Amino acid sequence: MKTERVVLAKRPEGMPTADIFRYEDVAVTHPEENEIQVEALYISVDPYMRGRMSDSKSYVTPFQIDEPLVGHVVARVTESKANGFEQGDIVTGMFPWQKVVNIEAKHAIKVTQTDIPLYLYLSVLGMTGQTAYHGLLKIGQPQAGETVVVSAASGAVGSVVGQIAKLKGAYVVGIAGGPTKTQYLTETLGFDVGVDYKAEDFSELLAEAVPNGVDVYFENVGGDIADEVMQHLNQFARIPVCGTISNYNDTEIEYGPRIQPTIIKAQALMQGFIVANYADDFANASQMLAQWVQEGKIKTKTSVEEGFERLPNAFSNLFTGDNFGKQVVKVSDNV
Amino acid sequence: MKTERVVLAKRPEGMPTADIFRYEDVAVTHPEENEIQVEALYISVDPYMRGRMSDSKSYVTPFQIDEPLVGHVVARVTESKANGFEQGDIVTGMFPWQKVVNIEAKHAIKVTQTDIPLYLYLSVLGMTGQTAYHGLLKIGQPQAGETVVVSAASGAVGSVVGQIAKLKGAYVVGIAGGPTKTQYLTETLGFDVGVDYKAEDFSELLAEAVPNGVDVYFENVGGDIADEVMQHLNQFARIPVCGTISNYNDTEIEYGPRIQPTIIKAQALMQGFIVANYADDFANASQMLAQWVQEGKIKTKTSVEEGFERLPNAFSNLFTGDNFGKQVVKVSDNV
C-alpha cells in the first residue's frame, strides 16, 4: 500500500518557507509484532519544531534532511499486532507526518475519552496544556493576589497559562497582537487585562495594566515585548522561560538590553524548561486539565486547517501572528 | 568632641570620581542610653555601594546627598551605655563612614575571636564570605565533578566561591584580569584553571578551560565576559547572579545578545540574590567559613589602604580592576 509523507527537504534560513518541505509517496507494509498501524486524523504544528529544523545544539536532536518531520498526532488504529490495541482505537503520540504509518505500540498512548473534540489532545489535553500547567505552577508559582503576565496570551500555551493563573487567584494580564485577540483574552478567557503589543503606546498600556508590578512573567516571546515586561518586575519575581518565538527564525543573534542588572535588582528567578522534564507528573496534570475543561473553567480555541497538503502553510502561520488559538491540521476525512 | 566623616556630595555619573565625596567635621556627644560609641578601625568599600549612590529603584534605599556614606565597619567600643558591651570590645556592623560615632547597640555585632586579622570580618567572615557561601550553595548547588565558573575570581566574593566549590569536589575555572591574578587562582587558591579575560584569545582560552561545559556560572561581572560563559552552559545549568560590576557605572543601558534563547536551550536557572535574604542561615555559614579559614582550606587576600582620607580612592579602585583581593581601608592607628 502507498501513502504520503512530508520530509524536511532543506534547513530553513530565517522564516520557514514552503520549499523546506517535500511531499513524497512511500510504501506501507502490514505492522510487525508489537506494532500498530495508524491513520493520522489531526497533526499538530508547534513553534518548538522550528528549533529541530536547524542543525544547532539544543535540547532535542535535529530533524534529518530527507527524513519525515515528526510531531504530535492524533490517529486511529487501522491494524494492530500489539496487545492492548484494537482496530478503531484512538491514540496520540509523537508520530511522523505520514498519512498511514506503523508505530511501535509502546510509543502510542490510548485515548479513552473520545466524546470530546479529538484535537484537544494536541492542545490543552496534550503537550501545550502540560507545558502551561508545569511551567506556571512549578516555576511561576503564582500566589493569590499576585500579578501574572503572559505573552503570546491567546496562543495554545499562553491562553491556558492565564486561565490557570486566574483559577489560582492571580491578577492576570495577557499580551497579544491586535484588538480581536486582546478582547478574546478578557471577554472569553476571563483575563483581567489584555494588552495589544501592536499598539503604538504599548509601553504605556503595559505600565497601566500592572500597577502593582509583575510577580510572574510567563515568557513565550522574548524580544522587545519581554524587555518591556522586565521593567516592571517585583522583588522575587519568577520568569518561566517557555519559548522565545520572536527569534526562532532569526539568522543572526538578537541583541537587547542586558538582563543581569534587572535580575539582580528584582532578585528574580528566570528558568528555562521543557515539558518533558515533568513527565512524572503528566498524569496528575492531565486529570486536572481535563476536569477544568469539562467544568468550563478552561476554554480553548483551536484553529483547524483542513488537508494534509496544508501542513507547510499551517506551520508558517505560527510565526506571522496570523493564527489564533492552537493550530492543528485535520488530515483525514474519517473524523 | 569633633570627629570627621565622609558624606555623599553629589550622585556619580559613570565612574565614581573624588568629587562625589566630601569630608566634613562633625561633633560627637556621649552615647545615649542603649547606645555605644565606637572608633572605626577598618572600613569596607564594596561594589554594591555604587548602586546606593544612584537614585534608582533597587533593593536598597539610595544614599542621601549630604548624608554620610554607610558601609561595613570593624570598630572598637570607646564608651558604652548598653548592656553587653564594654569599652575595648570589637564590633562590626553597618556604620557610617565616620571616625568616631554613636551607634544603637542593637545594630552592632560583638566579635569574640579577636586573635585573627580583624579585617577578615569585612571579607570572608563578613558579608562577602556570606555572599559567596549562600549564592554558591543555595542557588548554584555544585555537585562533585561538575564544572563551576566564577568571574571576578580573584575578588572578595569570587575567590571564596571558587574555594568552596573546590571543597565540594567541583572542577573550578576562575576568570580574572591579567597573569598575576590568574596565577594566583591556580597556585594559591587551588582553582583548576585561571582564564585571563584581558587576553586577546579569551574566547578560545575559556572554551579550552571548560571541555565538559559549564554547570554553575557564578555571575559577578555581566557584560561580554558573561556572554562568553553562557555559550558553554550545560543542561540544567545554574547561574547565581551576585553582581554585574562591569556595568555599575554605565550611564546608558548596556546591550548584548538576548539571553532567553540560551536559557531555554540549556534549561538553565538564573537567579538574582542579595545576601540579606539568607540572614536565617548566617550563623551556620559563619561557623563553617571560620573553620575553613582556620584550617587553611580557604585562603584570602586583602588589599589594605591606610588612612581615612583614602576611602574615595579605595572605592574607585574597585571599578578599574586595579585592586587585588578584598579592598578595605585601615582608618585608625590603634590597631
Side-chain angles (χ1 to χ4, degrees):
Chain A
M1 179 185 135
K2 289 250 175 189
T3 189
E4 205 178 4
R5 68 180 189 178
V6 184
V7 302
L8 185 66
K10 63 175 192 178
R11 302 203 180 279
E13 289 177 28
M15 287 288 277
T17 46
D19 62 346
I20 64 167
F21 300 101
R22 188 177 68 243
Y23 281 77
E24 54 184 35
D25 289 335
V26 63
V28 189
T29 58
H30 289 284
E32 309 268 322
E33 205 58 37
N34 296 317
E35 286 188 343
I36 54 176
Q37 187 176 84
V38 301
E39 178 196 9
L41 304 178
Y42 292 99
I43 292 180
S44 180
V45 291
D46 293 284
Y48 83 88
M49 299 177 76
R50 176 64 179 78
R52 297 191 67 181
M53 292 178 181
S54 297
D55 200 12
S56 67
K57 188 180 167 185
S58 184
Y59 47 84
V60 283
T61 51
F63 292 124
Q64 297 303 306
I65 302 286
D66 296 333
E67 292 293 322
L69 283 300
V70 174
H72 288 269
V73 174
V74 173
R76 179 182 287 116
V77 177
T78 48
E79 189 179 346
S80 174
K81 289 271 182 61
N83 285 334
F85 291 89
E86 287 180 17
Q87 194 181 337
D89 282 350
I90 301 296
V91 295
T92 68
M94 290 282 281
F95 302 158
W97 284 13
Q98 182 166 321
K99 282 184 171 176
V100 177
V101 66
N102 295 327
I103 300 288
E104 284 187 73
K106 65 181 178 189
H107 293 146
I109 299 163
K110 191 147 79 172
V111 166
T112 49
Q113 190 178 353
T114 56
D115 57 348
I116 55 173
L118 293 177
Y119 52 69
L120 290 182
Y121 291 101
L122 300 180
S123 61
V124 64
L125 301 183
M127 189 194 67
T128 57
Q130 294 278 351
T131 300
Y133 182 96
H134 298 288
L136 179 69
L137 298 181
K138 305 284 168 64
I139 301 173
Q141 300 184 23
Q143 307 299 307
E146 286 193 327
T147 296
V148 173
V149 174
V150 56
S151 49
S154 68
V157 173
S159 61
V160 178
V161 166
Q163 291 178 90
I164 297 177
K166 281 304 298 177
L167 289 169
K168 298 294 178 186
Y171 171 87
V172 177
V173 176
I175 301 173
T180 307
K181 287 182 181 175
T182 52
Q183 277 168 32
Y184 168 74
L185 297 178
T186 51
E187 290 171 13
T188 305
L189 302 185
F191 285 33
D192 294 285
V193 190
V195 180
D196 180 1
Y197 72 81
K198 293 180 177 172
E200 255 182 53
D201 55 345
F202 166 61
S203 180
E204 290 73 31
L205 291 173
L206 178 67
E208 283 166 26
V210 295
N212 298 320
V214 175
D215 299 295
V216 178
Y217 171 48
F218 194 100
E219 170 71 292
N220 278 320
V221 301
D224 297 338
I225 294 173
D227 296 341
E228 289 291 343
V229 179
M230 301 286 182
Q231 306 290 320
H232 302 283
L233 294 184
N234 285 336
Q235 286 288 300
F236 304 110
R238 288 84 66 197
I239 307 165
V241 184
C242 174
T244 59
I245 195 168
S246 74
N247 61 24
Y248 285 0
N249 297 310
D250 289 352
T251 50
E252 294 183 355
I253 292 169
E254 195 196 19
Y255 277 60
R258 287 190 198 275
I259 209 161
Q260 285 98 322
T262 306
I263 293 286
I264 190 170
K265 270 188 194 166
Q267 302 188 65
L269 179 149
M270 178 180 247
Q271 188 170 2
F273 73 101
I274 60 169
V275 69
N277 293 326
Y278 298 102
D280 287 353
D281 202 28
F282 277 3
N284 276 332
S286 223
Q287 202 174 356
M288 200 70 244
L289 288 162
Q291 187 186 322
W292 282 331
V293 169
Q294 280 167 336
E295 293 173 356
K297 288 178 177 168
I298 289 188
K299 298 184 177 67
T300 62
K301 193 175 187 76
T302 308
S303 175
V304 183
E305 289 254 13
E306 303 238 356
F308 193 73
E309 73 284 1
R310 300 293 290 168
L311 281 162
N313 188 60
F315 184 73
S316 297
N317 279 353
L318 296 174
F319 302 100
T320 56
D322 288 346
N323 66 318
F324 186 178
K326 174 68 183 103
Q327 181 75 59
V328 302
V329 183
K330 180 167 172 283
V331 296
S332 166
D333 294 329
N334 305 320
V335 68
Chain B
M1 179 184 134
K2 290 250 174 187
T3 191
E4 206 178 4
R5 68 179 189 177
V6 185
V7 301
L8 185 67
K10 63 175 191 179
R11 303 205 179 277
E13 289 176 27
M15 288 286 278
T17 46
D19 62 346
I20 66 166
F21 300 101
R22 188 176 69 241
Y23 282 78
E24 56 184 35
D25 289 333
V26 63
V28 189
T29 58
H30 289 284
E32 308 268 323
E33 205 59 37
N34 297 318
E35 285 188 343
I36 54 177
Q37 187 177 83
V38 302
E39 178 197 6
L41 304 178
Y42 292 99
I43 292 180
S44 181
V45 292
D46 293 284
Y48 83 88
M49 299 177 74
R50 176 64 180 80
R52 297 191 66 181
M53 292 178 179
S54 297
D55 200 13
S56 66
K57 186 180 169 186
S58 184
Y59 49 84
V60 283
T61 50
F63 293 124
Q64 296 303 306
I65 302 287
D66 296 332
E67 291 294 322
L69 283 301
V70 175
H72 288 269
V73 174
V74 173
R76 178 183 287 115
V77 177
T78 49
E79 190 179 344
S80 174
K81 290 272 182 60
N83 286 334
F85 291 89
E86 288 181 16
Q87 194 182 338
D89 282 350
I90 303 296
V91 296
T92 67
M94 290 282 282
F95 303 157
W97 284 12
Q98 182 166 322
K99 282 184 171 175
V100 177
V101 67
N102 295 327
I103 300 289
E104 284 187 74
K106 67 182 179 190
H107 293 146
I109 298 162
K110 191 148 80 173
V111 166
T112 49
Q113 191 179 351
T114 57
D115 56 350
I116 54 173
L118 294 176
Y119 51 70
L120 291 182
Y121 290 102
L122 300 180
S123 60
V124 65
L125 302 182
M127 190 196 65
T128 57
Q130 294 278 351
T131 300
Y133 182 96
H134 297 288
L136 179 68
L137 298 181
K138 306 285 169 62
I139 300 173
Q141 301 185 21
Q143 306 300 307
E146 286 193 326
T147 297
V148 173
V149 174
V150 56
S151 50
S154 68
V157 174
S159 61
V160 178
V161 166
Q163 291 178 91
I164 297 177
K166 282 303 299 177
L167 289 169
K168 298 296 177 185
Y171 171 87
V172 177
V173 176
I175 300 173
T180 308
K181 288 182 181 175
T182 53
Q183 278 166 33
Y184 168 75
L185 298 178
T186 50
E187 290 171 12
T188 305
L189 302 185
F191 285 33
D192 293 286
V193 190
V195 180
D196 179 1
Y197 71 82
K198 293 180 176 172
E200 255 183 51
D201 54 346
F202 167 62
S203 181
E204 290 75 31
L205 291 173
L206 178 68
E208 284 166 24
V210 295
N212 299 320
V214 174
D215 300 295
V216 178
Y217 171 48
F218 194 99
E219 170 72 290
N220 278 319
V221 301
D224 298 336
I225 294 172
D227 296 340
E228 289 290 342
V229 179
M230 301 286 182
Q231 305 291 318
H232 302 284
L233 294 185
N234 286 334
Q235 287 288 300
F236 304 111
R238 288 83 67 197
I239 308 166
V241 184
C242 174
T244 59
I245 196 168
S246 73
N247 62 24
Y248 285 1
N249 296 310
D250 289 352
T251 51
E252 294 183 355
I253 291 169
E254 195 195 18
Y255 277 59
R258 287 191 198 275
I259 209 162
Q260 286 97 322
T262 306
I263 294 286
I264 191 171
K265 269 188 194 167
Q267 301 189 63
L269 179 150
M270 178 179 246
Q271 188 170 3
F273 73 100
I274 60 168
V275 67
N277 293 327
Y278 298 101
D280 286 353
D281 200 29
F282 277 3
N284 278 332
S286 224
Q287 203 173 354
M288 199 70 244
L289 288 162
Q291 186 186 321
W292 283 330
V293 168
Q294 282 168 336
E295 294 174 355
K297 289 179 177 166
I298 289 188
K299 297 185 179 66
T300 61
K301 193 175 187 79
T302 309
S303 175
V304 183
E305 289 253 13
E306 304 238 355
F308 193 73
E309 73 283 3
R310 299 293 290 167
L311 280 162
N313 187 60
F315 184 74
S316 296
N317 279 353
L318 297 173
F319 301 100
T320 57
D322 288 347
N323 67 317
F324 187 177
K326 173 70 182 105
Q327 181 76 60
V328 302
V329 183
K330 179 167 172 282
V331 296
S332 165
D333 295 330
N334 304 321
V335 68

